[in-house]
Amino acid sequence: MKGIILAGGSGTRLHPITLGVSKQLLPVYDKPMIYYPLSVLMLANIRDILLISTPADLPQFRRLLGDGSRLGLRIDYAEQDQPRGLADAFRIGAEHIGDDSVALVLGDNIFHGPAFSEVLLRAAASVDGCVLFGYPVQDPERYGVAEVDARGRLVSVEEKPLLPRSNRAITGLYFYDNDVVSIARDLRPSPRGELEITDVNRAYLDRGKAALVDLGRGFAWLDTGTHDSLMEAGKYVEILQNRQGVRIACVEEVALRMGFIDVDACHALGAELAGTGYGQYVMGVANLARSLEAVG
């Protein structure tokens, strides 16, 4: 499975702080926002990733992430010169996807929950159509909404309905088989001129090939689109990290745990940031892993 991170747009709701920097490069507590969706793809065992952003912002992402090899990844980049809807990612990324299935994650979405990697790996292993991830919210009219029947099967998807049929919002994480390339290619733009992801999901639903994974109790799905929600996300990360002593979306740790890099490489990455708490944590993770290897 290939991965795509869509990190475009102008972040107008966060002006003026996004006038000079991409929203997805803003800090969420102790790390750039882009680390959070990147770690989601890594937890799904996806190592070949395309990052899509604006021509102005791409150099900053390249400076931060490079070609991904330091994390055992391959990261390529592509331009989206203006917002054309989420499904435009599959037109831009058609060559990157090739004959594979694909996971799309939005660059401003934060996911956290127990055994999340297991959830992702199960979903990625059985993609026959599309797999959506639902999350219960109090204001579903603000989101794409998924409706399921008594057996938990997906029966409808609606975009920002006035009268939602359920409280399950469709999050910014999507798994698709290779048909998504042709489906996106044949989409008609909405009246706003955008290629809507909901139209892609309906195409799979019409084929009877749309499934929903419910991220319920114990999971967190955080929006970072406003000043308040950005601060709330940072506070959530701060509280959990300080109480539990672990770091959410530490990409160096994820790379080590997933077997993308070895202990020495992980420690070296931490040593580059040795003057920070983040770097000390990464070195500590590597040192613990090294001691466990010695015992084993």
Side-chain angles (χ1 to χ4, degrees):
M1 175 176 274
K2 301 289 181 60
I4 295 178
I5 303 175
L6 185 57
S10 55
T12 54
R13 289 187 297 165
L14 286 170
H15 282 177
I17 59 176
T18 49
L19 288 174
V21 65
S22 167
K23 173 175 69 173
Q24 292 85 3
L25 288 171
L26 294 176
V28 178
Y29 188 50
D30 61 344
K31 61 189 73 71
M33 187 186 299
I34 197 67
Y35 276 27
Y36 295 87
L38 176 60
S39 70
V40 169
L41 296 182
M42 295 170 68
L43 289 170
N45 200 33
I46 296 171
R47 303 176 69 171
D48 196 345
I49 297 167
L50 178 69
L51 192 150
I52 300 173
S53 190
T54 67
D57 292 327
L58 278 177
Q60 300 173 70
F61 286 107
R62 286 193 175 99
R63 179 182 177 187
L64 175 66
L65 300 172
D67 64 2
S69 59
R70 288 155 57 86
L71 296 172
L73 307 174
R74 173 179 172 176
I75 301 178
D76 293 311
Y77 300 88
E79 295 183 359
Q80 186 184 51
D81 57 356
Q82 59 182 339
R84 297 189 186 89
L86 304 187
D88 188 41
F90 305 116
R91 291 188 176 184
I92 296 172
E95 183 176 346
H96 168 74
I97 298 168
D99 296 327
D100 291 324
S101 55
V102 61
L104 171 68
V105 63
L106 304 187
D108 60 357
N109 274 219
I110 297 174
F111 297 85
H112 180 251
F116 191 31
S117 182
E118 296 176 14
V119 173
L120 294 171
L121 290 171
R122 283 197 302 270
S126 58
V127 177
D128 180 21
C130 80
V131 179
L132 308 177
F133 295 81
Y135 187 80
V137 296
Q138 293 184 353
D139 49 357
E141 65 278 359
R142 294 180 52 220
Y143 304 94
V145 174
E147 179 189 8
V148 297
D149 62 17
R151 297 183 180 180
R153 296 178 300 187
L154 187 63
V155 295
S156 75
V157 291
E158 296 181 283
E159 183 65 26
K160 298 181 180 178
L162 294 176
L163 298 173
R165 297 180 182 179
S166 83
N167 70 336
R168 289 181 177 87
I170 298 173
T171 69
L173 175 63
Y174 315 84
F175 288 2
Y176 297 101
D177 65 17
N178 193 256
D179 287 348
V180 74
V181 176
S182 59
I183 290 172
R185 182 189 62 221
D186 296 337
L187 279 184
R188 292 184 178 180
S190 70
R192 296 184 300 172
E194 296 186 352
L195 302 174
E196 301 287 355
I197 199 74
T198 299
D199 291 336
V200 173
N201 297 335
R202 286 200 187 104
Y204 279 105
L205 188 63
D206 291 343
R207 299 179 181 187
K209 288 193 170 185
L212 181 76
V213 174
D214 229 341
L215 301 178
R217 184 182 295 273
F219 274 88
W221 172 51
L222 304 177
D223 181 14
T224 57
T226 67
H227 298 99
D228 288 343
S229 62
L230 180 61
M231 292 295 293
E232 289 167 0
K235 184 59 67 175
Y236 173 87
V237 173
E238 177 190 17
I239 291 172
L240 257 68
Q241 291 188 167
N242 288 342
R243 288 185 178 178
Q244 298 182 357
V246 297
R247 302 218 173 207
I248 299 171
C250 175
V251 292
E252 296 85 356
E253 180 178 16
V254 175
L256 177 62
R257 301 297 188 207
M258 296 300 295
F260 299 168
I261 60 175
D262 61 22
V263 170
D264 291 337
C266 181
H267 191 277
L269 290 173
E272 293 179 7
L273 305 172
T276 68
Y278 186 93
Q280 292 290 332
Y281 175 82
V282 173
M283 288 191 292
V285 166
N287 288 334
L288 177 59
R290 185 179 286 119
S291 64
L292 293 175
E293 285 180 355
V295 172

